[in-house]
Amino acid sequence: MAENKGRLYLIPSPLGDGDPTEVIPAPVLKSLEGFRTFVVEEVRTVRRYLSRAGLKGRIEGLEFHELNEHTDDATVESYLSLFNDGNDVALISEAGLPAVADPGAKLVALAHKNGIRVVPAVGPSSLMMALMASGLNGQSFAFCGYIPAKTDERRSRLKTLEKVSGQLGQTQILIETPYRNDALFADILSVCSPSTRVCVAADITTDDEYIMTRTVGQWRKAGLTIGKRPCVFLILA
Protein backbone atom coordinates (compact mmCIF):
# COMPACT_ATOMS: atom_id res chain seq x y z
CA MET A 1 0.00 0.00 0.00
CA ALA A 2 1.20 3.53 -0.72
CA GLU A 3 2.96 5.07 2.26
CA ASN A 4 0.76 7.32 4.39
CA LYS A 5 -2.05 7.23 1.83
CA GLY A 6 -5.72 6.95 2.68
CA ARG A 7 -8.13 4.45 1.15
CA LEU A 8 -10.68 4.82 -1.64
CA TYR A 9 -14.18 3.75 -0.58
CA LEU A 10 -16.74 3.00 -3.28
CA ILE A 11 -20.09 4.10 -1.85
CA PRO A 12 -23.30 3.09 -3.69
CA SER A 13 -26.15 5.57 -4.01
CA PRO A 14 -29.92 5.06 -4.44
CA LEU A 15 -31.29 4.42 -7.94
CA GLY A 16 -34.13 6.91 -7.33
CA ASP A 17 -35.07 9.82 -5.06
CA GLY A 18 -36.55 7.73 -2.27
CA ASP A 19 -35.37 7.11 1.28
CA PRO A 20 -31.75 5.83 1.19
CA THR A 21 -32.42 3.60 4.21
CA GLU A 22 -34.70 1.46 2.03
CA VAL A 23 -31.94 0.49 -0.43
CA ILE A 24 -28.56 1.24 1.20
CA PRO A 25 -27.38 -0.93 4.14
CA ALA A 26 -27.28 0.86 7.50
CA PRO A 27 -23.50 0.30 8.00
CA VAL A 28 -22.82 1.97 4.64
CA LEU A 29 -24.96 4.99 5.54
CA LYS A 30 -23.24 5.16 8.94
CA SER A 31 -19.82 5.14 7.25
CA LEU A 32 -20.67 8.37 5.42
CA GLU A 33 -20.22 10.24 8.69
CA GLY A 34 -16.51 9.40 8.65
CA PHE A 35 -15.60 11.02 5.34
CA ARG A 36 -14.51 14.60 4.78
CA THR A 37 -13.55 14.22 1.10
CA PHE A 38 -15.88 13.06 -1.67
CA VAL A 39 -15.28 12.53 -5.39
CA VAL A 40 -18.67 12.57 -7.08
CA GLU A 41 -20.30 12.53 -10.50
CA GLU A 42 -22.66 15.38 -9.63
CA VAL A 43 -22.32 17.49 -6.47
CA ARG A 44 -25.99 18.49 -6.12
CA THR A 45 -27.17 14.87 -6.31
CA VAL A 46 -24.71 13.74 -3.65
CA ARG A 47 -25.53 16.64 -1.34
CA ARG A 48 -29.20 15.59 -1.46
CA TYR A 49 -28.19 11.98 -0.82
CA LEU A 50 -26.05 12.88 2.17
CA SER A 51 -28.79 15.09 3.57
CA ARG A 52 -31.32 12.27 3.36
CA ALA A 53 -28.74 9.89 4.84
CA GLY A 54 -28.56 11.90 8.06
CA LEU A 55 -25.77 14.40 7.40
CA LYS A 56 -28.06 17.42 7.08
CA GLY A 57 -26.41 20.42 8.75
CA ARG A 58 -22.90 19.03 8.33
CA ILE A 59 -22.57 19.07 4.53
CA GLU A 60 -21.08 22.58 4.29
CA GLY A 61 -17.96 21.36 6.06
CA LEU A 62 -17.33 18.63 3.49
CA GLU A 63 -15.09 18.74 0.42
CA PHE A 64 -16.48 17.75 -2.99
CA HIS A 65 -14.61 17.10 -6.24
CA GLU A 66 -16.41 16.25 -9.48
CA LEU A 67 -15.50 13.37 -11.75
CA ASN A 68 -17.84 13.05 -14.70
CA GLU A 69 -17.72 12.69 -18.48
CA HIS A 70 -16.29 16.22 -18.77
CA THR A 71 -13.39 15.69 -16.33
CA ASP A 72 -10.02 15.54 -18.07
CA ASP A 73 -7.26 13.06 -17.21
CA ALA A 74 -5.03 15.73 -15.66
CA THR A 75 -7.75 16.63 -13.16
CA VAL A 76 -8.26 12.97 -12.27
CA GLU A 77 -4.50 12.61 -11.71
CA SER A 78 -4.57 15.63 -9.41
CA TYR A 79 -7.02 13.81 -7.14
CA LEU A 80 -4.15 11.59 -6.01
CA SER A 81 -3.23 14.33 -3.53
CA LEU A 82 -6.61 13.89 -1.80
CA PHE A 83 -5.26 10.69 -0.24
CA ASN A 84 -2.29 12.40 1.43
CA ASP A 85 -1.78 12.16 5.18
CA GLY A 86 -3.93 9.05 5.42
CA ASN A 87 -7.10 10.81 4.25
CA ASP A 88 -9.84 8.42 3.13
CA VAL A 89 -11.90 9.39 0.07
CA ALA A 90 -15.46 8.33 -0.82
CA LEU A 91 -16.37 7.87 -4.50
CA ILE A 92 -20.10 8.25 -5.28
CA SER A 93 -21.80 7.93 -8.67
CA GLU A 94 -24.98 9.64 -9.84
CA ALA A 95 -26.91 6.43 -9.13
CA GLY A 96 -26.11 2.87 -8.12
CA LEU A 97 -22.61 1.44 -7.97
CA PRO A 98 -19.66 3.75 -8.59
CA ALA A 99 -17.24 2.83 -11.40
CA VAL A 100 -19.78 0.58 -13.18
CA ALA A 101 -20.75 2.28 -16.46
CA ASP A 102 -19.42 5.35 -14.66
CA PRO A 103 -16.46 7.76 -15.13
CA GLY A 104 -15.40 7.04 -11.54
CA ALA A 105 -13.56 3.97 -12.85
CA LYS A 106 -10.70 6.33 -13.73
CA LEU A 107 -10.15 7.14 -10.06
CA VAL A 108 -10.28 3.46 -9.12
CA ALA A 109 -7.64 2.71 -11.76
CA LEU A 110 -5.49 5.56 -10.42
CA ALA A 111 -5.77 4.16 -6.91
CA HIS A 112 -4.62 0.71 -7.99
CA LYS A 113 -1.75 2.21 -9.98
CA ASN A 114 -0.52 4.00 -6.87
CA GLY A 115 -1.02 1.19 -4.37
CA ILE A 116 -4.03 2.78 -2.68
CA ARG A 117 -6.44 0.30 -1.14
CA VAL A 118 -9.87 0.19 -2.81
CA VAL A 119 -12.81 -0.75 -0.59
CA PRO A 120 -16.17 -1.55 -2.26
CA ALA A 121 -19.37 -1.18 -0.23
CA VAL A 122 -22.67 -3.01 -0.69
CA GLY A 123 -25.54 -1.35 -2.55
CA PRO A 124 -28.04 -1.56 -5.41
CA SER A 125 -26.99 -2.38 -8.97
CA SER A 126 -29.68 -1.80 -11.59
CA LEU A 127 -27.86 -4.19 -13.93
CA MET A 128 -27.76 -7.12 -11.53
CA MET A 129 -31.24 -6.47 -10.17
CA ALA A 130 -32.62 -6.39 -13.71
CA LEU A 131 -30.81 -9.62 -14.56
CA MET A 132 -32.04 -11.46 -11.48
CA ALA A 133 -35.62 -10.34 -12.14
CA SER A 134 -35.58 -11.05 -15.89
CA GLY A 135 -35.76 -14.84 -15.90
CA LEU A 136 -33.02 -14.84 -18.54
CA ASN A 137 -29.64 -16.58 -18.34
CA GLY A 138 -27.86 -15.42 -15.19
CA GLN A 139 -24.92 -17.79 -15.65
CA SER A 140 -23.70 -16.29 -18.91
CA PHE A 141 -24.28 -12.61 -19.58
CA ALA A 142 -22.53 -9.57 -21.02
CA PHE A 143 -22.98 -5.92 -20.17
CA CYS A 144 -22.79 -4.03 -23.47
CA GLY A 145 -23.31 -0.55 -22.06
CA TYR A 146 -24.47 2.12 -24.48
CA ILE A 147 -24.75 1.07 -28.13
CA PRO A 148 -24.61 3.51 -31.09
CA ALA A 149 -27.23 6.27 -31.14
CA LYS A 150 -27.56 6.49 -34.93
CA THR A 151 -30.42 4.29 -36.15
CA ASP A 152 -28.56 2.27 -38.79
CA GLU A 153 -25.56 1.64 -36.54
CA ARG A 154 -27.80 0.78 -33.59
CA ARG A 155 -29.82 -1.73 -35.60
CA SER A 156 -26.64 -3.32 -36.92
CA ARG A 157 -25.26 -3.67 -33.38
CA LEU A 158 -28.54 -5.17 -32.14
CA LYS A 159 -28.43 -7.81 -34.88
CA THR A 160 -24.86 -8.66 -33.87
CA LEU A 161 -25.73 -8.87 -30.17
CA GLU A 162 -28.73 -11.08 -30.91
CA LYS A 163 -26.52 -13.39 -32.99
CA VAL A 164 -23.94 -13.62 -30.19
CA SER A 165 -26.72 -14.24 -27.67
CA GLY A 166 -28.08 -17.12 -29.74
CA GLN A 167 -24.65 -18.67 -30.34
CA LEU A 168 -23.59 -18.53 -26.69
CA GLY A 169 -26.96 -18.67 -24.93
CA GLN A 170 -25.79 -15.41 -23.34
CA THR A 171 -27.96 -12.61 -21.97
CA GLN A 172 -27.03 -9.23 -23.45
CA ILE A 173 -27.55 -6.26 -21.11
CA LEU A 174 -27.94 -2.73 -22.51
CA ILE A 175 -28.60 0.73 -21.12
CA GLU A 176 -29.55 3.94 -22.88
CA THR A 177 -29.91 7.65 -22.22
CA PRO A 178 -33.53 7.96 -21.00
CA TYR A 179 -34.73 10.16 -23.86
CA ARG A 180 -33.66 7.43 -26.35
CA ASN A 181 -35.31 4.53 -24.49
CA ASP A 182 -38.28 4.23 -26.81
CA ALA A 183 -36.16 4.54 -29.97
CA LEU A 184 -33.91 1.70 -28.78
CA PHE A 185 -36.89 -0.44 -27.79
CA ALA A 186 -38.53 0.15 -31.18
CA ASP A 187 -35.36 -0.96 -32.95
CA ILE A 188 -35.13 -4.09 -30.78
CA LEU A 189 -38.65 -5.02 -31.81
CA SER A 190 -37.89 -4.16 -35.42
CA VAL A 191 -34.71 -6.18 -35.99
CA CYS A 192 -34.85 -9.06 -33.50
CA SER A 193 -36.50 -12.43 -34.07
CA PRO A 194 -40.07 -12.87 -32.74
CA SER A 195 -38.83 -15.68 -30.48
CA THR A 196 -36.06 -13.62 -28.85
CA ARG A 197 -36.88 -12.75 -25.24
CA VAL A 198 -36.55 -9.14 -24.11
CA CYS A 199 -36.78 -7.79 -20.58
CA VAL A 200 -37.52 -4.12 -19.91
CA ALA A 201 -36.56 -3.07 -16.36
CA ALA A 202 -37.29 0.57 -15.52
CA ASP A 203 -37.17 2.65 -12.31
CA ILE A 204 -35.78 -0.25 -10.31
CA THR A 205 -36.32 0.03 -6.51
CA THR A 206 -38.70 2.99 -6.89
CA ASP A 207 -42.47 3.17 -6.48
CA ASP A 208 -42.78 3.23 -10.29
CA GLU A 209 -40.69 0.09 -10.83
CA TYR A 210 -41.59 -1.84 -13.98
CA ILE A 211 -39.99 -5.18 -14.91
CA MET A 212 -41.41 -7.40 -17.64
CA THR A 213 -39.99 -10.12 -19.90
CA ARG A 214 -41.74 -11.09 -23.12
CA THR A 215 -40.74 -12.41 -26.52
CA VAL A 216 -40.29 -9.85 -29.27
CA GLY A 217 -43.45 -11.20 -30.87
CA GLN A 218 -45.41 -10.67 -27.65
CA TRP A 219 -44.00 -7.16 -27.21
CA ARG A 220 -45.03 -6.24 -30.74
CA LYS A 221 -48.62 -7.14 -29.89
CA ALA A 222 -48.64 -5.65 -26.38
CA GLY A 223 -46.82 -2.41 -27.10
CA LEU A 224 -45.07 -0.28 -24.48
CA THR A 225 -44.07 3.35 -24.02
CA ILE A 226 -41.15 3.52 -21.60
CA GLY A 227 -40.60 7.26 -21.46
CA LYS A 228 -37.68 9.19 -20.03
CA ARG A 229 -36.72 7.10 -17.02
CA PRO A 230 -33.73 4.94 -16.05
CA CYS A 231 -34.07 1.64 -17.87
CA VAL A 232 -32.14 -1.58 -18.44
CA PHE A 233 -32.78 -3.76 -21.49
CA LEU A 234 -31.91 -7.47 -21.55
CA ILE A 235 -31.95 -9.68 -24.64
CA LEU A 236 -31.71 -13.48 -24.90
CA ALA A 237 -32.05 -15.15 -28.30
Side-chain angles (χ1 to χ4, degrees):
M1 185 180 299
E3 185 178 354
N4 201 30
K5 291 286 187 181
R7 294 161 291 188
L8 176 61
Y9 285 81
L10 311 183
I11 306 295
S13 55
L15 300 175
D17 291 328
D19 183 353
T21 62
E22 295 182 358
V23 291
I24 306 293
V28 176
L29 293 177
K30 179 67 176 176
S31 74
L32 291 171
E33 300 174 2
F35 297 105
R36 179 177 61 85
T37 306
F38 294 81
V39 175
V40 304
E41 189 171 4
E42 216 290 322
V43 174
R44 288 179 297 177
T45 301
V46 171
R47 289 172 69 94
R48 288 197 302 268
Y49 172 25
L50 297 180
S51 180
R52 292 189 183 113
L55 275 68
K56 190 173 184 178
R58 289 178 279 174
I59 297 175
E60 294 307 317
L62 303 177
E63 181 181 329
F64 296 96
H65 302 268
E66 285 197 337
L67 201 177
N68 52 45
E69 60 183 305
H70 305 295
T71 307
D72 59 46
D73 291 342
T75 299
V76 177
E77 287 281 344
S78 73
Y79 290 162
L80 187 60
S81 65
L82 302 178
F83 298 91
N84 290 346
D85 301 321
N87 184 55
D88 292 333
V89 176
L91 175 66
I92 303 180
S93 176
E94 182 75 354
L97 304 182
V100 178
D102 172 62
K106 292 182 178 181
L107 184 62
V108 178
L110 181 68
H112 284 297
K113 181 180 178 181
N114 289 275
I116 293 170
R117 183 183 172 191
V118 176
V119 185
V122 176
S125 164
S126 61
L127 305 177
M128 292 300 97
M129 296 180 79
L131 178 62
M132 63 193 277
S134 69
L136 304 183
N137 191 352
Q139 295 196 73
S140 178
F141 55 90
F143 174 51
C144 307
Y146 296 92
I147 64 173
K150 293 183 178 179
T151 302
D152 290 345
E153 294 178 7
R154 182 169 58 215
R155 290 178 176 177
S156 177
R157 181 67 61 83
L158 287 170
K159 289 178 182 178
T160 299
L161 293 178
E162 183 186 35
K163 183 178 180 180
V164 170
S165 176
Q167 291 174 336
L168 302 179
Q170 184 181 72
T171 302
Q172 306 295 304
I173 305 174
L174 318 175
I175 56 176
E176 184 52 280
T177 302
Y179 70 85
R180 285 200 292 259
N181 280 336
D182 288 303
L184 171 58
F185 187 53
D187 281 346
I188 291 173
L189 301 190
S190 174
V191 306
C192 291
S193 167
S195 61
T196 291
R197 286 187 287 167
V198 176
C199 177
V200 176
D203 283 330
I204 294 176
T205 73
T206 74
D207 292 339
D208 296 320
E209 180 178 271
Y210 176 89
I211 304 174
M212 178 63 67
T213 298
R214 291 187 171 109
T215 66
V216 167
Q218 290 170 332
W219 277 121
R220 288 173 181 168
K221 293 178 181 178
L224 174 68
T225 299
I226 302 167
K228 299 177 182 179
R229 50 182 176 156
C231 189
V232 180
F233 299 87
L234 304 95
I235 298 172
L236 181 61

